[in-house]
PDB file of all heavy atoms in Angstrom:
ATOM      1  N   LEU C 923     -20.665  -0.013   5.547  1.00 97.00           N
ATOM      2  CA  LEU C 923     -22.027  -0.154   6.066  1.00 97.00           C
ATOM      3  C   LEU C 923     -22.928  -0.903   5.073  1.00 97.00           C
ATOM      4  O   LEU C 923     -23.906  -0.346   4.554  1.00 97.00           O
ATOM      5  CB  LEU C 923     -22.646   1.216   6.359  1.00 97.00           C
ATOM      6  CG  LEU C 923     -22.156   1.954   7.607  1.00 97.00           C
ATOM      7  CD1 LEU C 923     -22.726   3.358   7.622  1.00 97.00           C
ATOM      8  CD2 LEU C 923     -22.540   1.222   8.882  1.00 97.00           C
ATOM      9  N   ILE C 935     -24.716  -1.149 -11.995  1.00 89.00           N
ATOM     10  CA  ILE C 935     -24.850  -2.585 -11.705  1.00 89.00           C
ATOM     11  C   ILE C 935     -26.105  -2.878 -10.911  1.00 89.00           C
ATOM     12  O   ILE C 935     -26.816  -3.834 -11.186  1.00 89.00           O
ATOM     13  CB  ILE C 935     -23.592  -3.076 -10.932  1.00 89.00           C
ATOM     14  CG1 ILE C 935     -22.393  -3.126 -11.877  1.00 89.00           C
ATOM     15  CG2 ILE C 935     -23.840  -4.424 -10.306  1.00 89.00           C
ATOM     16  CD1 ILE C 935     -21.191  -3.860 -11.339  1.00 89.00           C
ATOM     17  N   GLY C 944     -32.906  17.711 -11.236  1.00 98.00           N
ATOM     18  CA  GLY C 944     -34.228  18.138 -10.773  1.00 98.00           C
ATOM     19  C   GLY C 944     -34.965  17.084  -9.971  1.00 98.00           C
ATOM     20  O   GLY C 944     -35.936  17.392  -9.279  1.00 98.00           O
ATOM     21  N   GLY C 957     -18.140   3.667  13.314  1.00 96.00           N
ATOM     22  CA  GLY C 957     -16.840   3.751  12.667  1.00 96.00           C
ATOM     23  C   GLY C 957     -16.765   4.870  11.653  1.00 96.00           C
ATOM     24  O   GLY C 957     -17.651   5.720  11.574  1.00 96.00           O
ATOM     25  N   PHE C 959     -16.538   6.171   7.858  1.00 98.00           N
ATOM     26  CA  PHE C 959     -16.923   5.864   6.480  1.00 98.00           C
ATOM     27  C   PHE C 959     -16.858   7.149   5.668  1.00 98.00           C
ATOM     28  O   PHE C 959     -16.459   8.201   6.180  1.00 98.00           O
ATOM     29  CB  PHE C 959     -18.342   5.270   6.461  1.00 98.00           C
ATOM     30  CG  PHE C 959     -18.468   4.078   7.364  1.00 98.00           C
ATOM     31  CD1 PHE C 959     -18.932   4.226   8.677  1.00 98.00           C
ATOM     32  CD2 PHE C 959     -18.078   2.827   6.941  1.00 98.00           C
ATOM     33  CE1 PHE C 959     -18.995   3.139   9.528  1.00 98.00           C
ATOM     34  CE2 PHE C 959     -18.135   1.740   7.789  1.00 98.00           C
ATOM     35  CZ  PHE C 959     -18.598   1.897   9.082  1.00 98.00           C
ATOM     36  N   GLU C1039      -2.019  26.384   4.971  1.00 86.00           N
ATOM     37  CA  GLU C1039      -3.394  26.795   5.266  1.00 86.00           C
ATOM     38  C   GLU C1039      -4.166  25.764   6.091  1.00 86.00           C
ATOM     39  O   GLU C1039      -5.283  26.026   6.530  1.00 86.00           O
ATOM     40  CB  GLU C1039      -4.149  27.105   3.969  1.00 86.00           C
ATOM     41  CG  GLU C1039      -3.535  28.203   3.119  1.00 86.00           C
ATOM     42  CD  GLU C1039      -3.355  29.498   3.899  1.00 86.00           C
ATOM     43  OE1 GLU C1039      -4.257  29.852   4.681  1.00 86.00           O
ATOM     44  OE2 GLU C1039      -2.291  30.146   3.743  1.00 86.00           O
ATOM     45  N   LYS C1049      -4.423  14.385  27.576  1.00 94.00           N
ATOM     46  CA  LYS C1049      -5.707  13.961  27.021  1.00 94.00           C
ATOM     47  C   LYS C1049      -5.508  13.040  25.814  1.00 94.00           C
ATOM     48  O   LYS C1049      -4.511  13.133  25.108  1.00 94.00           O
ATOM     49  CB  LYS C1049      -6.516  15.181  26.565  1.00 94.00           C
ATOM     50  CG  LYS C1049      -6.889  16.135  27.670  1.00 94.00           C
ATOM     51  CD  LYS C1049      -7.970  15.544  28.554  1.00 94.00           C
ATOM     52  CE  LYS C1049      -8.506  16.590  29.531  1.00 94.00           C
ATOM     53  NZ  LYS C1049      -9.481  15.989  30.464  1.00 94.00           N
ATOM     54  N   VAL C1077      -9.650  -0.113  11.408  1.00 98.00           N
ATOM     55  CA  VAL C1077      -9.379  -0.052   9.973  1.00 98.00           C
ATOM     56  C   VAL C1077     -10.697  -0.282   9.255  1.00 98.00           C
ATOM     57  O   VAL C1077     -11.351  -1.318   9.460  1.00 98.00           O
ATOM     58  CB  VAL C1077      -8.326  -1.104   9.550  1.00 98.00           C
ATOM     59  CG1 VAL C1077      -8.175  -1.138   8.034  1.00 98.00           C
ATOM     60  CG2 VAL C1077      -6.979  -0.814  10.199  1.00 98.00           C
ATOM     61  N   VAL C1128      -0.233  20.392  21.145  1.00 85.00           N
ATOM     62  CA  VAL C1128      -0.510  19.947  22.505  1.00 85.00           C
ATOM     63  C   VAL C1128      -0.256  21.125  23.431  1.00 85.00           C
ATOM     64  O   VAL C1128       0.861  21.638  23.493  1.00 85.00           O
ATOM     65  CB  VAL C1128       0.379  18.754  22.900  1.00 85.00           C
ATOM     66  CG1 VAL C1128       0.091  18.318  24.315  1.00 85.00           C
ATOM     67  CG2 VAL C1128       0.191  17.592  21.930  1.00 85.00           C
TER      68      VAL C1128
END
Side-chain angles (χ1 to χ4, degrees):
Chain C
L923 285 172
I935 288 193
F959 305 94
E1039 301 305 319
K1049 297 288 189 185
V1077 173
V1128 179

